[in-house]
Amino acid sequence: MPHPGHPEVEATLDAGGQAYPNGTVGGGEDHLRGALHALQVAVYTTDREGRVTLFNERAAELWGRRPEIGKDLWCGSWRIYRPDGTPLPLDACPMALALREGRSVRSEEIIIERPDGTRAHVLPHPELLRNGDGEVVGAVNVLVDVTGQKAAERSQALLAAIVASSDDAIVSKTLDGVITSWNAGAERVFGYTAEEAVGQPVLMLIPPERHGEEDYILGRIRQGERVDHYETVRLAKDGRRIDVSLTISPVHDGAGALIGASKVARDVTERRQAEAALREREAETRRLAAVVARTTSGVVVTDPDGRVVWANQAFTRLSGYTLDEVRGRRPADLLRGPESDAATAAFVEARVAERVPFVVELLNYRKDRTLYWTRVEATPLLDDDGTFEGYVAVQTDVTERRRAEAALRESEARFRTMTDAAPVLVWTAGTDRECDYVNAAWLAFTGRPLDRELGHGWAEGVHPDDRDRCLAAYAAAFDARAPFEVEFRLRRHDGTYRWVLDRGAPRFAPDGAFLGYVGSCVDVHAQKEAEADLAAAVAERTRELERSNRELDQFAYVASHDLKGPLRGIRTLAGWIAEEAGPALSDEAHRHLDLLRSRVRRMEALLDSLLVYSRAGRIHGLAEDVDTAALVRDVADLLALPDTVAVEVGPALPALTTYRAPLELVFRNLLANAVKHADRPDLRVRVWAEEAGPDVPEGFVAFAVEDDGPGIPEEYHERIFGLFQTLRPRDEVEGSGMGLAVVKKTVESLGGTIRVASAPGAGATFRFTWPRHVSAEEPTP
């Protein structure tokens, strides 16, 4: 396109209108005019003051008018605007600037408006014209119409904006399936950025089992076909499967050659989910319809005026009416019975008129005039936009429930009659833990009205020192749903406090539901006073026993000390006689001296045993960890038993936390007793233990000392645990006869028991129980 600087345009004009190339003056005006009209662009000239002197037809077509030669200044346009649409004054147009400032003005776009209102985008190129002396004699302006180019640019920009802002994924690819473009919608749908996607095969978006779809699509594209609304599944960057609808179109170059494909992918996951939800709702509706049709409750649907339009079979069975008989009738017409007076009918009609939910329960007539109790729950039926469409009413036969309630009321009346006549204080509480009933005896006892006792009011009469304990026991039992028993002082009508024993038991429905508590209080004040007197008597008796024990200890000590002195003298004198007069004494005298010394030793042993027995079970020492197996072995070693006697310690004798001294005393006496009464030298003694069993109390261990000696007749099983008891004459066996008595007293002092199992010729087994763990503190003597 010619423009200033082009040989066709670059020229100068002299005042007479002659124009020559390269700035020379010559030729005629007709020659210049012909040249201007021959150009394919709009061209016009002005003198140095800016008056239009020449213009060609292209310029007149662009302006939409023909300016007046010599009068129109700077330009022939009707109006001029800047590119942003604001008006541009004529004296500020590019031609005016060029003449005023003496310079060329390039690439300043303007918008010209024609008289008919149409506009054109123009790039003016004003150039100054000079004469042979270089003086400015005018200017020439080439106007390049770029309206079409601008429209194309706007169209392309609009298309690009649409592509960029589209929520759909818009992707281009080659015929080999390689991605060449990727919009923001594609990034949102699939998660890949353009940098990650462009240049990659489109198969990265297709699940492996669907790769064959790409061959099918590209085959259609190569045939020039368009693929519309192809619904399938594609993969997102994070591995999610996305339901998409694809539209794929062939892409051609400027020459019409097929160069690739453009794909629009719309995420239809939400639509699919909505469709699935709709199908589920439809299925749910069908299921609901089936349930309603088969439910045992009558269901009725009305129109907005409250008239029946549909009822299920259960309603016809319940009421005796067919659907045709009730269609068009109002609910109030069907809810009438001996107890459904005008107020009930008015209530129903008013609720229907207000279009609000309502519940009514009444004794109603069936079609055959039989009566039944019915409960009707009516709910407004609204469509999706909240428009009232009528009612759905559910009618249930509650005759049996009403009968049960009547029976319950009768039962409650009988209960109240009986409890009011009872001489004990009776109360009940509901699931809210608040008292809801007390009987007449309670009110007579407290002297307060019923409303003062209900709720938590009854606790006001509990003695302040007992109140927290009483309420805590009540709350704990309530939490555990368990029976409870508590004693507290309750204020009587005369202001005195009386001890009462309160027993409560949880109440449960047949289905196991918790209903609350029922309880009774018994006046135990006299019993408590008697118990207090008994406790005082027991305390006094205990003090007396303690005094007796101390006196017994003192007696045992004095007896041992005072009696042992003379016995030692007798023993010494007998020894002196035997030594000094021995040769002169007869054998009979020596026998009597030996018998005397034996009696002295027995007497000393009796005194020692008496002292031990008096202290047995009261002086234990400190508790410690005791290995009972090692303890038994130590006792056997200390007894210095003959080599022929075998003591077997059973496996896994337990370790105890106990008093070592008394346990050692028990084992020493039992082992010594077995050896003492053995009828042969090769005695076998076995010690074993049981940590559990039907006759082993909790927290105790059972020990057994078993021998294979001569055994003990059954009639002596209890007697042998008494004081000074022996199975053979004392002259035939050593000992005081107090060993087993000491053992029994020691075992029982710690809460244990001891017994013997034996028969003549079958040995004997002494079995005793001993606490597994005792306090680490030393007991009081």
Side-chain angles (χ1 to χ4, degrees), residues 574-690:
W576 179 85
I577 292 173
E579 182 179 352
E580 294 295 329
L585 295 177
S586 64
D587 292 339
E588 182 67 16
H590 277 292
R591 188 178 68 80
H592 284 294
L593 282 176
D594 291 339
L595 184 59
L596 176 62
R597 286 196 294 266
S598 173
R599 293 293 191 272
V600 170
R601 286 195 302 272
R602 182 182 298 278
M603 190 64 184
E604 289 176 337
L606 284 173
L607 291 174
D608 290 338
S609 297
L610 182 61
L611 184 60
V612 171
Y613 181 80
S614 68
R615 295 180 177 179
R618 293 190 295 114
I619 301 177
H620 296 152
L622 295 175
E624 58 183 294
D625 294 334
V626 176
D627 181 347
T628 56
L631 175 65
V632 172
R633 294 188 185 97
D634 290 345
V635 169
D637 291 342
L638 290 173
L639 290 175
L641 302 176
D643 294 339
T644 57
V645 176
V647 178
E648 299 176 8
V649 180
L653 259 67
L656 308 178
T657 301
T658 188
Y659 309 120
R660 181 184 180 91
L663 185 58
E664 180 180 345
L665 174 66
V666 170
F667 279 119
R668 185 171 66 246
N669 277 284
L670 292 176
L671 288 174
N673 188 70
V675 173
K676 180 173 61 178
H677 294 284
D679 56 354
R680 66 180 191 278
D682 58 340
L683 181 71
R684 186 178 67 87
V685 181
R686 189 166 70 93
V687 181
W688 46 275
E690 287 181 348

Side-chain angles (χ1 to χ4, degrees), residues 436-622:
D436 54 22
Y437 168 76
V438 293
N439 69 341
W442 182 294
L443 299 177
F445 183 91
T446 62
R448 294 177 8 133
L450 177 62
D451 60 343
R452 294 283 302 277
E453 299 296 334
L454 298 182
H456 292 289
W458 63 272
E460 297 174 1
V462 178
H463 194 285
D465 294 343
D466 301 337
R467 188 173 299 146
D468 290 344
R469 176 176 54 83
C470 174
L471 293 177
Y474 181 77
F478 219 101
D479 291 339
R481 305 288 196 265
F484 73 90
E485 182 176 298
V486 61
E487 289 183 343
F488 57 88
R489 285 164 289 181
L490 185 65
R491 188 171 58 240
R492 199 167 56 176
H493 57 84
D494 58 3
T496 62
Y497 283 95
R498 303 281 295 181
W499 280 100
V500 295
L501 173 61
D502 189 4
R503 291 189 177 95
R507 295 185 294 122
F508 297 96
D511 61 358
F514 176 64
L515 300 177
Y517 268 79
V518 60
S520 63
C521 293
V522 178
D523 188 335
V524 293
H525 196 79
Q527 177 183 339
K528 291 289 287 186
E529 289 181 338
E531 289 175 354
D533 294 342
L534 178 61
V538 169
E540 179 60 28
R541 180 59 177 162
T542 301
R543 289 192 292 270
E544 291 178 359
L545 289 175
E546 289 174 351
R547 287 194 299 269
S548 297
N549 285 334
R550 287 194 296 271
E551 292 172 356
L552 179 60
D553 286 344
Q554 184 177 6
F555 166 76
Y557 176 79
V558 170
S560 174
H561 181 271
D562 292 350
L563 293 178
K564 277 187 176 183
L567 289 175
R568 282 193 298 270
I570 294 172
R571 178 162 44 82
T572 302
L573 179 60
W576 179 85
I577 292 173
E579 182 179 352
E580 294 295 329
L585 295 177
S586 64
D587 292 339
E588 182 67 16
H590 277 292
R591 188 178 68 80
H592 284 294
L593 282 176
D594 291 339
L595 184 59
L596 176 62
R597 286 196 294 266
S598 173
R599 293 293 191 272
V600 170
R601 286 195 302 272
R602 182 182 298 278
M603 190 64 184
E604 289 176 337
L606 284 173
L607 291 174
D608 290 338
S609 297
L610 182 61
L611 184 60
V612 171
Y613 181 80
S614 68
R615 295 180 177 179
R618 293 190 295 114
I619 301 177
H620 296 152
L622 295 175

Side-chain angles (χ1 to χ4, degrees), residues 28 60 128 137-138 208 262 287 313 370 372 414 464 468 476 628 682 777 781:
L128 298 177
V137 296
S262 176
R287 289 192 294 269
Q313 293 180 357
T370 58
Y372 68 104
R414 287 198 303 269
D468 290 344
T628 56
D682 58 340
E777 298 179 359

Side-chain angles (χ1 to χ4, degrees), residues 23 25 42 58 63 70-71 237 278 366 400 414 444 467 565 584 682 690 726 763:
V25 178
R58 290 287 186 183
W63 289 328
K71 293 185 65 176
K237 181 179 179 180
L278 178 60
R366 295 185 178 90
E400 291 303 320
R414 287 198 303 269
R467 188 173 299 146
D682 58 340
E690 287 181 348
T726 61

